[in-house]
Amino acid sequence: MLLNEAFYKYIDEHKDDNTNVLRLQQKESEEFDILFAIDQIEARKKIKNKLPHWHQNIYLLFPSVISTEQASSEETAIYKSELLSNKDAIKLCDLTGGLGIDTYYFAQRASSVTYIERYPLYCEIAQHNYKILKTRNVTIINDDCNNFAIKNNQYFNICYIDPARRGKNNKRVFAFEDCEPDILSLLPNLYRFSDQIIIKASPMIDITSAINQLSNIVEIHIVSVKNECKELLFILQKDMLSVVPNPQIICVNICSKNKEVFSFSYLQERTLSHSNYASSILTYLYEPNSSILKSGAFKTLGQVFCVNKLHVNSHLYTSNMYIENFPGRKFKVIDIYDFSSKNSKIIAQKYTKASISSRNFPLRPDELKKRLKIKDGEEYYLFATTLYPNKKIIIITQKA
């Protein structure tokens, strides 16, 4: 890499330009690699919201555009680093270094971090970035993690791995055995030199299947940012094999000013017979956040917060008492209508603007919006759903 002030000046001057146009217009330069500079501009556009602090530093580099797409966000990387305790004693190995975001934030809390990456350019850029960031406790090794796991004799308290979730023809994959590397075949070697493994997985992965495959799970963290599920973290502990798996499941939603956290055990949810179902809609309506929806903790949630579930498949709750710390969105009920053509006309006349959600209902939000002739608005929130045992209703609410 030829890095100089002309290289950084070009990136800054063209930061808002269309990169496709820049590539067509680019001319050879003896001062720096223009195509690499254009890649930096494109990568920076992608990380502006995902990695705002890295975006602010013009001297940080990105080995490829795809590396920015695969990298953790700052919020989730910080969350993972906060799982580390006893900072002075922790030696951590990041087996799939990539862009190095997770490595960087782990390094803020661990005594030392070893970054493993098979692509030489990624290693070169990680070395450059950590120098710019004045991060001195990271060791960079250019190696394939499978090869490293076979030959390594150094002890690590924690091994962290984020398998690539792209298969043949760049198709997205989710199951552990389809990712690269195959974590299931890699685990025996990792347990040779580490007591704890943290696996980052896609939010699309099936939790029950994962529990059946990974016998040493002690915790599962389901991490959302602003109510969008981003990743699952499986924490495995050596020699914690259980006949009946019962990991603690921690549902986290990282909001602008706080974190919503709800935890329960896997067996706790499975051993509850059923939810308490509502016979009518009460004063308040609750919608669990995306981490809880992913976890499937519907019976436990109702029990803990003393709220009634509308229907086994509706995943909405109601109560007469306002539950301020409910982990999700909270609404005050304004109107309730049975779903019918007559009532659809009444709703259309009375509420001309609303935000529409559909849960366990025959019409999608866009179909319902078209039928009711309602425009987008945020004063009212309309929930089309099913009330136990099988009553189709529309609930008009406002944020509580």
Side-chain angles (χ1 to χ4, degrees), residues 202-268:
S202 163
M204 299 299 292
I205 197 167
D206 182 81
I207 293 175
T208 300
S209 295
I211 289 173
N212 291 333
Q213 290 179 304
L214 303 171
S215 54
N216 294 57
I217 304 175
V218 290
E219 290 182 359
I220 301 171
H221 294 250
I222 306 173
V223 186
S224 294
V225 177
K226 296 176 184 174
N227 209 29
E228 181 181 352
C229 194
K230 294 292 187 180
E231 59 190 50
L232 272 68
L233 305 171
F234 293 85
I235 301 182
L236 283 58
Q237 193 72 36
K238 185 178 180 180
D239 301 327
M240 285 293 289
L241 181 64
S242 174
V243 177
V244 182
N246 188 28
Q248 191 73 7
I249 301 177
I250 298 95
C251 305
V252 180
N253 181 32
I254 303 170
C255 307
S256 299
K257 296 181 180 179
N258 65 334
K259 277 194 297 232
E260 296 175 337
V261 181
F262 178 76
S263 63
F264 66 100
S265 73
Y266 180 65
L267 289 181
Q268 181 182 357

Side-chain angles (χ1 to χ4, degrees), residues 49-288:
N49 296 320
K50 188 177 186 179
L51 302 168
H53 290 96
W54 281 49
H55 181 266
Q56 290 170 11
N57 192 328
I58 190 68
Y59 294 103
L60 293 177
L61 301 177
F62 307 90
S64 66
V65 175
I66 196 169
S67 70
T68 65
E69 297 171 355
Q70 295 174 340
S72 297
S73 66
E74 282 184 16
E75 294 101 329
T76 58
I78 290 170
Y79 177 81
K80 287 192 283 284
S81 73
E82 291 171 348
L83 298 177
L84 275 56
S85 58
N86 196 14
K87 172 181 177 179
D88 293 337
I90 290 179
K91 292 176 64 179
L92 183 143
C93 181
D94 185 343
L95 289 152
T96 46
L99 183 54
I101 304 299
D102 287 324
T103 297
Y104 170 71
Y105 283 101
F106 280 136
Q108 309 309 302
R109 295 181 67 90
S111 59
S112 66
V113 180
T114 299
Y115 164 108
I116 311 296
E117 174 54 55
R118 61 182 171 178
Y119 295 118
L121 177 61
Y122 280 57
C123 293
E124 186 181 354
I125 287 180
Q127 192 84 52
H128 165 87
N129 287 342
Y130 295 144
K131 184 177 180 180
I132 296 294
L133 293 165
K134 298 180 180 179
T135 303
R136 298 182 176 88
N137 60 336
V138 175
T139 300
I140 293 172
I141 298 176
N142 178 204
D143 199 356
D144 177 83
C145 66
N146 287 292
N147 186 49
F148 175 83
I150 292 170
K151 67 182 184 181
N152 175 62
N153 290 315
Q154 182 182 176
Y155 173 79
F156 295 99
N157 303 92
I158 300 170
C159 279
Y160 170 74
I161 187 163
D162 177 11
R165 291 175 286 279
R166 294 280 185 178
K168 293 180 180 179
N169 301 319
N170 210 30
K171 182 181 178 182
R172 288 186 181 274
V173 294
F174 313 115
F176 290 129
E177 62 270 24
D178 296 330
C179 295
E180 173 61 35
D182 174 3
I183 187 65
L184 300 179
S185 61
L186 186 61
L187 277 174
N189 269 323
L190 299 185
Y191 282 131
R192 279 196 314 104
F193 55 83
S194 185
D195 293 327
Q196 188 176 94
I197 315 295
I198 301 177
I199 305 169
K200 175 181 167 181
S202 163
M204 299 299 292
I205 197 167
D206 182 81
I207 293 175
T208 300
S209 295
I211 289 173
N212 291 333
Q213 290 179 304
L214 303 171
S215 54
N216 294 57
I217 304 175
V218 290
E219 290 182 359
I220 301 171
H221 294 250
I222 306 173
V223 186
S224 294
V225 177
K226 296 176 184 174
N227 209 29
E228 181 181 352
C229 194
K230 294 292 187 180
E231 59 190 50
L232 272 68
L233 305 171
F234 293 85
I235 301 182
L236 283 58
Q237 193 72 36
K238 185 178 180 180
D239 301 327
M240 285 293 289
L241 181 64
S242 174
V243 177
V244 182
N246 188 28
Q248 191 73 7
I249 301 177
I250 298 95
C251 305
V252 180
N253 181 32
I254 303 170
C255 307
S256 299
K257 296 181 180 179
N258 65 334
K259 277 194 297 232
E260 296 175 337
V261 181
F262 178 76
S263 63
F264 66 100
S265 73
Y266 180 65
L267 289 181
Q268 181 182 357
E269 175 67 20
R270 290 173 71 89
T271 53
L272 285 173
S273 57
H274 58 79
S275 298
N276 290 324
Y277 295 112
S279 58
S280 61
I281 304 301
L282 304 176
T283 309
Y284 297 98
L285 189 74
Y286 304 92
E287 181 185 48

Side-chain angles (χ1 to χ4, degrees), residues 330-349:
K330 301 168 278 286
F331 301 90
K332 177 74 180 291
V333 176
I334 306 298
D335 267 330
I336 307 157
Y337 295 92
D338 292 345
F339 181 59
S340 67
S341 297
K342 178 182 176 181
N343 285 338
S344 293
K345 292 177 182 178
I346 294 172
I347 294 169
Q349 292 173 353

